[in-house]
Amino acid sequence: MIYASYSLNDIVDNKNFGRLARKGMRSIWKASYDILDANDQPKFKVQEDSAWVRFWDSFVGELPIIGMFTGYFLNPSYTVTGIDGKAYFKLKKMPSFFGRRFQLDRLIDIDDEEESLVILSLLMMTLLERARG
């Protein structure tokens, strides 16, 4: 399987938080990422909740005038699950015309180091998905 991997490092303290790995072919239809800790052990998985939102956003977004309003009604959401299958976080894009606002909800408490890893991974994933469209 083809992976694209992104390291999450603190260059000031020379600390490695872990990596965000994008699943190759599986991510074409529906975004799917693995969050790995500093020892390259899988800790969490990020998965787009609906592939249809991506499909309609790319299809309708190309239409003149109508495509400008997709930010109001086509808003992706992502769920972060642990390797145990429990949902830990939910990231949702909020309706907006110009800006890109997201809401992150914590569903289950986790320790601070794992929370930092998840938040950094979600920031990276958001930038990557924005570049994809």
Side-chain angles (χ1 to χ4, degrees):
M1 184 178 289
I2 301 169
Y3 280 88
S5 178
Y6 306 90
S7 294
L8 304 167
N9 298 310
D10 181 352
I11 58 173
V12 174
D13 295 334
N14 200 25
K15 180 179 180 182
N16 177 16
F17 287 99
R19 290 188 306 127
L20 177 69
R22 181 169 157 209
K23 294 187 176 181
M25 294 303 290
R26 196 176 294 174
S27 285
I28 290 174
W29 177 247
K30 189 174 177 180
S32 181
Y33 293 85
D34 287 330
I35 299 175
L36 308 162
D37 66 9
N39 300 320
D40 278 343
Q41 298 301 311
K43 295 294 276 185
F44 301 97
K45 179 184 288 189
V46 182
Q47 190 132 18
E48 189 170 14
D49 294 334
S50 174
W52 288 108
V53 172
R54 177 188 300 272
F55 171 78
W56 286 112
D57 187 31
S58 63
F59 180 73
V60 176
E62 296 298 319
L63 298 174
I65 299 175
I66 296 171
M68 294 183 345
F69 298 102
T70 59
Y72 278 119
F73 58 91
L74 294 173
N75 298 302
S77 63
Y78 305 87
T79 302
V80 178
T81 56
I83 54 173
D84 56 3
K86 292 180 187 174
Y88 284 85
F89 290 90
K90 184 78 142 180
L91 179 69
K92 295 181 267 184
K93 182 184 170 294
M94 305 307 292
S96 63
F97 187 63
F98 287 115
R100 301 280 186 201
R101 291 187 346 222
F102 289 84
Q103 178 179 327
L104 179 62
D105 295 320
R106 181 184 318 130
L107 307 175
I108 298 175
D109 285 335
I110 58 175
D111 68 22
D112 290 342
E113 194 162 312
E114 287 183 336
E115 185 173 335
S116 295
L117 174 62
V118 170
I119 291 172
L120 289 171
S121 298
L122 289 174
L123 286 170
M124 176 62 80
M125 184 211 65
T126 302
L127 292 170
L128 293 169
E129 289 301 307
R130 181 177 169 196
R132 284 179 66 190

